[in-house]
Amino acid sequence: MSFERTLIVLGWAGVLSGCAAEAVDIGAWDEAVGESQGALLGGNALSANALNLNALNLNALNLNALNLNGLSAQNLAALQDPGPSGALAREFVRYATSCALNGTASFNFSWTDSSGTIHNEGYPGLLGVAPTWASGPLDEIGQRMVSSCVAARVNYYQVPVLLSARSLRDPLKTLSSSQELIDYADVEGAFWGNLFAAQPYINACYNSATVDNSRAYQRDCAAGHLISGGQIVECGVIHIVGPCSGVCQNLNGAGQYYPSCVDRPGQSTATTKEVITTALP
């Protein structure tokens, strides 16, 4: 059964530079601007450095509810850190919250910067790929869906790009009658993995036919950032495994998403359905 989803535009919520990010009070970070059968996401400018977290223990984070009462003291301290590590931790949790929770839930906390100013943060849920995280630990499907969703929104240039996020898993299953499929016809690739595992990993693959289009939109994390000499640079821990045609099930013709991909290419043939497919105009 397919579910109708809401057209969503996420506002840009941080100013990033190198490995550090300046956190800001986001206020109305997201804005519902209409109704659609798909989910169009803007503001997808998560820093790759936010996936390489040391201060925030992601494995421990998934063992608790994503609320102030359920959060471990270690992870709360990481989120309240006024330094660069805290900024990256907050950035990751902001995106993870909007991926995991639905629009009726949010994650709220406060932290104090080095000047003594208190920042009251409120990270709203949006996509609802793992809504039960609001009240308890993530199960494995939830871990994978949140990981894939967050990775799909990383941007090498740290600039917001409007994209279509799709999956076999509800609520991101695209309806065949959606105008989104017409307006966002260039599938750029897919993302999957588990950032919360004991040995975290994220994979990406690209659609060979749309690599140039993705790079024209400053979306480089599926195919890699191309530098002089033809060398490819990956986006942090996001490992590019090659063309999606070699590791994923063929695109679903009705919804234009990859139903499954090989979970650990080169290590096993096991597949996963917790895949986020991204598409651009």
Side-chain angles (χ1 to χ4, degrees):
M1 177 179 181
S2 294
F3 290 82
E4 183 171 292
R5 296 176 289 153
T6 303
L7 172 63
I8 299 169
V9 176
L10 306 184
W12 170 233
V15 180
L16 306 177
S17 176
C19 293
E22 178 186 353
V24 297
D25 289 329
I26 58 177
W29 185 44
D30 56 275
E31 177 185 5
V33 296
E35 190 172 282
S36 171
Q37 292 173 316
L40 303 185
L41 299 177
N44 299 290
L46 180 64
S47 164
N49 292 315
L51 298 183
N52 300 317
L53 296 176
N54 293 316
L56 186 66
N57 186 330
L58 298 185
N59 182 261
L61 181 64
N62 89 83
L63 299 175
N64 301 282
L66 188 61
N67 59 56
L68 200 57
N69 293 328
L71 208 63
S72 70
Q74 177 187 1
N75 282 327
L76 181 58
L79 288 171
Q80 294 177 327
D81 181 352
S85 293
L88 289 173
R90 290 187 289 275
E91 184 188 11
F92 175 86
V93 171
R94 182 166 61 242
Y95 276 85
T97 300
S98 67
C99 281
L101 307 186
N102 57 40
T104 64
S106 64
F107 175 56
N108 306 289
F109 68 101
S110 63
W111 63 282
T112 304
D113 65 25
S114 57
S115 67
T117 301
I118 298 174
H119 298 259
N120 294 310
E121 303 280 357
Y123 301 160
L126 288 168
L127 297 183
V129 302
T132 59
W133 200 12
S135 57
L138 283 170
D139 59 16
E140 185 175 355
I141 289 178
Q143 294 172 29
R144 289 176 173 275
M145 286 300 294
V146 172
S147 298
S148 302
C149 178
V150 170
R153 298 167 68 186
V154 173
N155 186 283
Y156 181 90
Y157 300 97
Q158 300 171 30
V159 297
V161 178
L162 191 66
L163 59 84
S164 170
R166 309 164 185 173
S167 177
L168 171 69
R169 298 285 190 188
D170 287 322
L172 295 185
K173 184 180 289 185
T174 317
L175 298 182
S176 59
S177 59
S178 175
Q179 182 67 30
E180 176 182 346
L181 297 182
I182 299 174
D183 296 339
Y184 290 75
D186 280 347
V187 172
E188 70 164 358
F191 300 82
W192 67 95
N194 192 342
L195 291 169
F196 301 95
Q199 295 182 324
Y201 67 98
I202 283 289
N203 293 319
C205 66
Y206 55 85
N207 179 356
S208 300
T210 62
V211 170
D212 290 342
N213 183 64
S214 295
R215 288 183 175 144
Y217 276 94
Q218 294 187 290
R219 285 278 300 177
D220 279 11
C221 292
H225 178 61
L226 186 64
I227 62 176
S228 59
Q231 183 179 353
I232 297 295
V233 177
E234 297 178 331
C235 294
V237 297
I238 300 176
H239 176 54
I240 301 169
V241 299
C244 296
S245 58
V247 293
C248 297
Q249 188 178 350
N250 291 340
L251 278 171
N252 175 287
Q256 288 295 290
Y257 53 81
Y258 295 103
S260 66
C261 298
V262 177
D263 188 36
R264 304 298 295 266
Q267 298 183 36
S268 76
T269 59
T271 61
T272 179
K273 295 180 180 179
E274 287 72 57
V275 177
I276 299 291
T277 302
T278 52
L280 297 166

